[in-house]
Amino acid sequence: MNTTKTIKSALISVFSKDGLEPIVRKLHEQNVTLYSTGGTEDFIKNLGIPVVPVEDVTSYPSILGGRVKTLHPKVFGGILNRQDNDSDVQQMIEYGIPQIDLVIVDLYPFEKTVASGASEADIIEKIDIGGISLIRAAAKNFKDTVIIASVEEYSNLLALITNQNGGTTVEDRKLLAAKAFHVSSHYDSAIFNYFNTDDTILKQSISGGQILRYGENPHQKGYFFGDFDAMFKKLHGKELSYNNLLDVDAAVNLILEFKHDDPTFAILKHNNACGLATRDTMKAAYLDALAGDPTSAFGGVLISNGQIDADTASEINKLFCEVVIAPSYDEEAISILSEKKNRIILILNDVELPQQQVRTALNGLLVQDRNNITDNKNDLRTVTDTAPTAQQTDDLIFASKICKNTKSNTIVLAKNRTLIASGTGQTSRVDALKQAIEKAHTFGFDLKNSVMASDAFFPFPDCVEIANHAGVTAVIQPGGSIKDDLSINYCNENKVAMVFTGTRHFKH
């Protein structure tokens, strides 16, 4: 059976006319009968090309301020009839319904209208009814009808009708139908999400997935769905991988905790900070962050909360690192960092991150609110006889910010606004602490007068005892254990300051 069909008639009803003219001219050149309404009809007429008003087909005018134009059996019959069905063919003749082989629709810009901050009345008027119905009807009947559902497909249509002299195969039409159903489902999801107030219902529709080289490992396929260009300006380097993107995500979330602080530099490996320091200059912050764990820093992701200058870039250039991220760079710094051809250099734009986090679990999804709480001095409740000094308080807040963004179970040790060491992703908090202490000693840090942060409460006093013996003199933790008094009593007996925040920061 020959499944190639030649377009002989087309209904065109679009919001945006960009790119439409060459299609209209090509269809006219191929003797295609054109039907249209409203502004699109005027557009075609102004090109000097004949067009049949839909009102002439339906014998009904556009009514209700344009809300009802194409919603009529003579329009939808022309789209939905099955050309190989004798009953349909007879009814087309009986009711004088013209055949429509091609439908071109561009929906009202609902999402753009919402994003513009328009009034609810204006937003409601941008809910397309006729257009979405035309899309679904033509896509359903792809065996006989061609559907173009967005401006993005105009160039594809023009190529098809030019190269195939107005003809389309069933494969062409089915592919266009799939794209059309994506347009309609995406549109409906946007409308639903505008109205929805039920957090137990989740609808997401994201277009433009980016194919990555592979997933976490070379045998896994990987994709990124999101607007990377809205978040970053890429200045240099190779394409980001799946693992790069996970590390970049962790880096951005971490540095945002220090957005308004003095110059701060962080180095991350496998989603966790291995070095972080706040100093008076970015160069000093970088060097002290690097000193926290120069071994793990190899091949890591680097991020700062301020401009990277040439002096800092010269120091960074001595290290092999995958990605460097900053809100800005001076020109010489870009030149220096670009000397390594594969190094990825990103400018972090000031954008708002999604307020919900989604991840797969079992045969479904887990959704939660973003952890937007950052511990600050006003949150601290001193529970010991010894209160932290001003310096210790600054270090406790500093450590807490890192702890919040480190895999649980975690312990963070800090001193003088420097990450000394952390224990990450351990099944026991005691193990996390021992790991941090051992790491600090490995890199020659003196833990005397350091502080400790924990992402969750201490059920026993063992952690504060171990930390005290290592030199820790102040502790920050959420509190909330039925045995809090055991840790508090130990701290009191050993003149260790401890504050509760009341907020747990698990990160699994």
Side-chain angles (χ1 to χ4, degrees), residues 188-243:
D188 284 339
S189 293
I191 295 169
F192 169 79
N193 287 328
Y194 172 74
F195 284 99
N196 183 40
T197 58
D198 186 349
D199 291 339
T200 66
I201 302 174
L202 174 69
K203 289 187 187 295
Q204 284 194 335
S205 178
I206 307 174
S207 304
Q210 177 184 345
I211 301 174
L212 304 174
R213 294 197 301 274
Y214 51 80
E216 282 184 289
N217 300 291
H219 62 278
Q220 296 170 267
K221 293 181 179 179
Y223 308 87
F224 173 69
F225 290 89
D227 191 351
F228 185 85
D229 292 338
M231 281 210 64
F232 302 99
K233 180 179 180 181
K234 185 180 175 187
L235 301 179
H236 180 76
K238 62 183 179 181
E239 293 301 313
L240 280 88
S241 68
Y242 183 98
N243 292 330

Side-chain angles (χ1 to χ4, degrees), residues 376-390:
N376 61 67
K377 294 178 182 179
N378 294 330
D379 299 323
L380 306 187
R381 179 168 67 92
T382 302
V383 295
T384 51
D385 297 336
T386 301
T389 65

Side-chain angles (χ1 to χ4, degrees), residues 245-300:
L245 289 168
L246 287 175
D247 284 331
V248 167
D249 175 71
V252 169
N253 281 285
L254 175 59
I255 207 66
L256 288 178
E257 305 283 351
F258 300 88
K259 183 176 181 179
H260 302 295
D261 292 12
D262 291 338
T264 300
F265 210 104
I267 304 172
L268 290 89
K269 196 73 171 289
H270 303 306
N271 303 168
N272 293 310
C274 59
L276 196 151
T278 298
R279 292 293 183 268
D280 293 332
T281 68
M282 198 59 73
K283 178 181 177 180
Y286 168 71
L287 290 174
D288 286 343
L290 178 63
D293 186 347
T295 301
S296 296
F298 182 86

